[in-house]
Amino acid sequence: MSTIVQEIGTMAASSVREILDSGRGSPAEPNAHLWSILSDGGWGSISSDPENKVELRDILEVARVSGRFPYSTPIVSTLLAGRWFKLDEGQLESGIVLALRRGAQVVAPYYSEGVIVVDGNGGIIASSPTAVEAFSLVSPIALLPVGTMALSDEYLSELRAAFLAVAVGCADAVLDASIAWSTTREQFGQPIKGFQAVRHHLANAHIAREQAWTAAIAAAHEPERSAAWARQGFALARTSIELGIQVHGGVGFTWEVGLHHYLNQIIELRSVLGEDQ
Amino acid sequence: MTITRFDDPAAAKFREDVSTWVHEALPTKWRTDRAALTPDEVQQAQREWDAALHEGGYAGLAWPAEYGGRGFGPIEELIYYEESSRANAPDGFGRIGRVLAGPTIIVAGTEAQKVKYLPRILDASEIWCQGFSEPGAGSDLASVRTTARKVDGGYLVNGQKTWTSFAQYAKRCLMLARSSTELGRHHNLSFLLLDMEQDGVDVRPIRQISGEEEFSEVFFTDVFVADEDLVGPEHEGWGIAMTVLSNERGTTEAATRLVEATAQIDLLNRCCARHEGLDAPRLRDRCELLRWQILRTTEEKAAELDWFTAGSILKVQWSELIQDSTRLGVDSGCPEHRDYWRHHYLASKAMSIYSGTNEIQRNIITDRVLKVSR
Ligand SMILES: Cc1cc2nc3c(=O)[nH]c(=O)nc-3n(C[C@H](O)[C@H](O)[C@H](O)COP(=O)(O)OP(=O)(O)OC[C@H]3O[C@@H](n4cnc5c(N)ncnc54)[C@H](O)[C@@H]3O)c2cc1C
């Protein structure tokens, strides 16, 4: 596997981006509408067809664009499940979410009504979740029955890389918004992008997210070190977003502008991976 | 006589008195169950604390005795904050009144204003808010557009403020408004004490990323302020606003932040106890450094040395310390305090923005302290 994305990855990422970009809805709720467009377009099953030769690196590309949008769909876990497990077209179209160990619990992030929950071996879990954490702000996280087999280390390392790529997408979204804001917002009779302090924040936000992206790619290449890469990468993506909030001033602190969704998403992803334990 | 040095024996005695009092006066719920309180319960505890401070004579430590204060200096005030921080005391709800409005009225207000407002700041029966920022005037505060038009017996205020903390609870507002269109930028603003409970004041709370609605947009339509409520000379409100801001960045404010940081770092140490990689002890050292920075600045203030510009350092120091602490709290992954840390982490994002952003503080340091020309 190369650090460079293949054509299939670029193509999938740009289509997924276009679809999510047309989205609307609440960031805190699963977006069934967007998922149906993605899945009708076949984007959820590209990784299961060997002819496509989709590699993990390509999935990272899609994961990254998905992080740009505060909508919850099971695209990332579906692509990974399609790569790992024998699942049929119809199952992939419903969307797949994965069983992960979080402390003493087993949870499935990106859960929503209608998706298929699989255990650590790709076996379908028929029973319903015992509870759903609506609060999570990213997406509901389903609590699965205790004793459910969670994802093994081998798969977990790929998931870490992919979730970190989502975090980088979050940083992308905030940096774009920050650049746009620094161009329109004026203080002292000039756009704030003219102030060196602001320019350096933007540069540092870029440096941090690029390093986070490198960490995601490194995690994909070095599964045995993926936990360390994820720890470092998530912290860098968070730094990038924090700088973006700072550039926004008071506006960045409002719920309405919503930069916290990205911060929350990073915290949540990191927490379901157990990286904050 | 106020104390001017921390090693004065009177300081030790005062410290003992404060410590005894704080421990007795602390709201029980706050003492036992702080991290689990709902926002409403926190507010309740803060209000109880306001009342306790007033009854105990700790509300206006550094205020002159004739206005209900104790006539102490910055050293006693700091000792109080240190002891209350050690006891994890809450922050009162009447803080904007005590820290910003009161001291400003004391130095710049008329006798009538002092008599009218100070007692109700001390007992926190009137909550204050600070109406400075506007949609177009944040870092560039001097560009405020809200107007104060001279009419018979006073002014009519029109315009919009934003990010106004506690506006929905406030009886009074420190209002900075443009009173002239002719004079130069820093000489056409007037500083008014505005009654929020009258027609024409429309407060619309704004939801923050931390989920609370602590600040608001406030719209003013022909809101009357009597001549008696002008602070300082007409059109010279900028200087008064700077007094407010220097208090906002001063040792008292920093000391209340030390209270907050200390409490958080205590909790953090417990949450991080299970982790080898997380460096809560280093934050403890930074907290100690903040304490000494405040002590040093306070002694310089008591000795009437040049302490004024030290405020920018303090502001940067406490805001970044609390941001780092809450971030580490999230990293600790402590399941018991998960929601607590997430909330405070998000809330701390505002600290490098309000009271003048940290970029602006650094500008002040290079421009006015180091006097590095551009
Ligand atoms: C929680 C909270 C509570 C608040 N409470 C109050 C209150 O009670 N009353 C009140 O009046 N105000 C209040 N404020 C407002 C606060 O004072 C302003 O948000 C702050 O001054 C920044 O202004 P702004 O939001 O317009 O950001 P902007 O001034 O637009 O700044 C945006 C970014 O540009 C940077 N920038 C701007 N100018 C320069 C420069 N010259 N050099 C370098 N960088 C620059 C800033 O540092 C920031 O990163 C509150 C704000 C918050 C977040």
Side-chain angles (χ1 to χ4, degrees):
Chain A
M1 185 173 64
S2 158
T3 61
I4 307 275
V5 65
Q6 306 181 92
E7 208 178 311
I8 176 88
T10 311
M11 201 172 69
S14 89
S15 303
V16 167
R17 181 171 180 170
E18 205 171 298
I19 292 166
L20 293 178
D21 201 22
S22 71
R24 262 190 301 273
S26 160
E29 280 157 29
N31 202 313
H33 175 67
L34 285 175
W35 173 246
S36 76
I37 304 177
L38 286 171
S39 118
D40 288 352
W43 296 112
S45 49
I46 49 166
S47 59
S48 71
D49 183 347
E51 289 209 344
N52 287 334
K53 297 199 170 65
V54 169
E55 291 190 7
L56 180 56
R57 174 66 185 80
D58 302 311
I59 296 178
L60 297 192
E61 202 75 8
V62 176
R64 180 170 178 176
V65 297
S66 79
R68 284 181 158 271
F69 302 93
Y71 307 123
S72 170
T73 73
I75 181 73
V76 176
S77 49
T78 304
L79 287 174
L80 289 171
R83 164 181 166 82
W84 301 331
F85 306 131
K86 282 231 146 335
L87 295 161
D88 66 38
E89 193 90 4
Q91 290 165 331
L92 292 168
E93 270 176 27
S94 309
I96 311 291
V97 297
L98 308 165
L100 309 177
R101 189 168 294 111
R102 183 182 73 183
Q105 300 167 323
V106 184
V107 299
Y110 294 107
Y111 178 82
S112 67
E113 199 94 358
V115 301
I116 292 176
V117 187
V118 299
D119 69 14
N121 287 331
I124 291 168
I125 301 175
S127 57
S128 315
T130 51
V132 176
E133 282 175 18
F135 161 74
S136 96
L137 292 164
V138 204
S139 64
I141 290 181
L143 301 187
L144 304 178
V146 186
T148 304
M149 184 194 296
L151 217 57
S152 68
D153 284 350
E154 177 197 350
Y155 297 136
L156 195 58
S157 65
E158 296 201 353
L159 184 75
R160 283 193 187 110
F163 276 4
L164 179 51
V166 174
V168 175
C170 293
D172 289 337
V174 174
L175 182 52
D176 283 358
S178 305
I179 293 169
W181 178 251
S182 72
T183 307
T184 48
R185 173 66 174 171
E186 293 191 8
Q187 285 291 275
F188 303 97
Q190 64 172 93
I192 58 167
K193 70 175 178 185
F195 299 121
Q196 195 80 297
V198 171
R199 301 180 74 79
H200 282 187
H201 281 339
L202 296 173
N204 286 330
H206 175 67
I207 292 168
R209 68 116 181 236
E210 281 306 312
Q211 293 185 87
W213 183 228
T214 302
I217 293 171
H221 279 81
E222 300 184 338
E224 67 292 349
R225 291 181 61 192
S226 66
W229 286 125
R231 204 171 305 123
Q232 199 179 356
F234 274 106
L236 285 159
R238 178 171 62 186
T239 299
S240 180
I241 294 179
E242 288 178 348
L243 289 165
I245 292 178
Q246 183 66 19
V247 164
H248 277 76
V251 161
F253 199 64
T254 61
W255 188 277
E256 193 183 341
V257 168
L259 301 179
H260 62 294
H261 291 305
Y262 296 100
L263 215 42
N264 280 327
Q265 173 144 3
I266 289 189
I267 293 172
E268 203 72 72
L269 288 175
R270 194 163 174 264
S271 150
V272 294
L273 287 172
E275 301 310 330
D276 61 359
Q277 300 299 308
Chain B
M1 258 288 280
T2 63
I3 303 170
T4 57
R5 294 165 57 111
F6 283 100
D7 60 3
D8 188 323
K13 170 76 176 71
F14 183 74
R15 188 180 292 281
E16 216 181 289
D17 293 349
V18 176
S19 167
T20 312
W21 178 80
V22 170
H23 281 96
E24 282 166 9
L26 216 56
T28 327
K29 253 199 165 160
W30 182 266
R31 190 181 353 222
T32 54
D33 224 7
R34 195 169 65 90
L37 298 185
T38 65
D40 281 348
E41 289 170 328
V42 169
Q43 201 190 102
Q44 182 55 34
Q46 289 179 307
R47 287 187 186 268
E48 282 173 34
W49 190 239
D50 279 332
L53 286 175
H54 177 57
E55 271 168 39
Y58 287 95
L61 283 179
W63 292 20
E66 67 256 49
Y67 305 118
R70 298 273 290 274
F72 289 140
I75 303 258
E76 288 91 335
E77 201 169 33
L78 188 71
I79 290 174
Y80 159 75
Y81 280 114
E82 277 202 275
E83 289 311 308
S84 61
S85 116
R86 240 190 275 281
N88 280 339
D91 194 13
F93 206 64
R95 161 152 139 196
I96 295 185
R98 276 196 299 273
V99 179
L100 303 185
T104 305
I105 293 171
I106 289 170
V107 299
T110 62
E111 209 43 44
Q113 287 166 352
K114 291 175 193 173
V115 170
K116 180 173 173 195
Y117 296 119
L118 295 179
R120 284 179 256 171
I121 292 174
L122 278 185
D123 68 9
S125 58
E126 290 186 351
I127 301 300
W128 285 70
C129 66
Q130 179 191 11
F132 286 12
S133 304
E134 297 182 5
S139 297
D140 183 12
L141 183 59
S143 67
V144 296
R145 291 218 200 117
T146 296
T147 55
R149 184 164 54 84
K150 191 75 193 84
V151 292
D152 200 21
Y155 299 85
L156 281 184
V157 174
N158 280 283
Q160 182 192 351
K161 295 290 173 182
T162 193
W163 321 129
T164 319
S165 300
F166 300 108
Q168 69 268 51
Y169 309 107
K171 165 69 178 158
R172 313 247 167 225
C173 175
L174 300 171
M175 163 61 69
L176 187 64
R178 191 159 303 280
S179 48
S180 156
T181 48
E182 281 152 28
L183 306 160
R185 199 168 132 88
H186 292 115
H187 301 283
N188 56 15
L189 300 168
S190 290
F191 196 99
L192 305 169
L193 306 176
L194 181 145
D195 183 348
M196 294 284 282
E197 287 172 9
Q198 55 176 319
D199 287 347
V201 179
D202 179 11
V203 178
R204 300 184 198 164
I206 303 173
R207 193 165 183 206
Q208 307 173 337
I209 61 175
S210 51
E212 293 141 320
E213 294 184 347
E214 192 198 82
F215 58 28
S216 299
E217 305 179 274
V218 189
F219 297 84
F220 298 89
T221 313
D222 286 339
V223 175
F224 184 73
V225 179
D227 283 333
E228 300 88 85
D229 287 326
L230 170 73
V231 182
E234 189 182 41
H235 310 316
E236 294 299 335
W238 180 252
I240 315 286
M242 290 305 103
T243 308
V244 176
L245 289 183
S246 77
N247 284 323
E248 198 172 357
R249 296 165 195 162
T251 48
T252 311
E253 178 66 17
T256 71
R257 298 320 181 140
L258 180 64
V259 176
E260 199 174 332
T262 307
Q264 277 178 348
I265 290 167
D266 276 348
L267 181 62
L268 191 59
N269 269 296
R270 278 183 275 141
C271 296
C272 289
R274 301 173 293 134
H275 299 276
E276 291 201 350
L278 297 178
D279 206 359
R282 211 176 56 84
L283 287 172
R284 165 79 72 208
D285 293 343
R286 279 174 61 189
C287 202
E288 276 300 294
L289 184 65
L290 173 61
R291 193 172 76 85
W292 278 96
Q293 188 80 25
I294 299 170
L295 288 180
R296 189 191 127 199
T297 311
T298 306
E299 280 201 339
E300 286 171 3
K301 183 175 170 182
E304 293 178 25
L305 294 172
D306 177 28
W307 61 276
F308 181 77
T309 47
S312 292
I313 299 177
L314 288 174
K315 199 270 161 162
V316 169
Q317 211 178 338
W318 60 251
S319 57
E320 293 178 358
L321 172 61
I322 295 178
Q323 289 181 338
D324 290 350
S325 307
T326 55
R327 190 186 297 110
L328 195 61
V330 171
D331 287 351
S332 77
C334 173
E336 199 186 330
H337 297 103
R338 177 171 169 264
D339 292 347
Y340 174 88
W341 285 121
R342 286 187 183 193
H343 173 82
H344 285 275
Y345 166 67
L346 288 173
S348 76
K349 290 282 137 268
M351 292 179 174
S352 48
I353 296 169
Y354 57 57
S355 308
T357 69
N358 286 13
E359 291 74 36
I360 292 299
Q361 302 311 319
R362 289 180 163 101
N363 286 353
I364 291 173
I365 290 167
T366 26
D367 294 349
R368 283 188 244 154
V369 182
L370 301 175
K371 300 193 169 61
V372 181
S373 63
R374 281 175 194 262

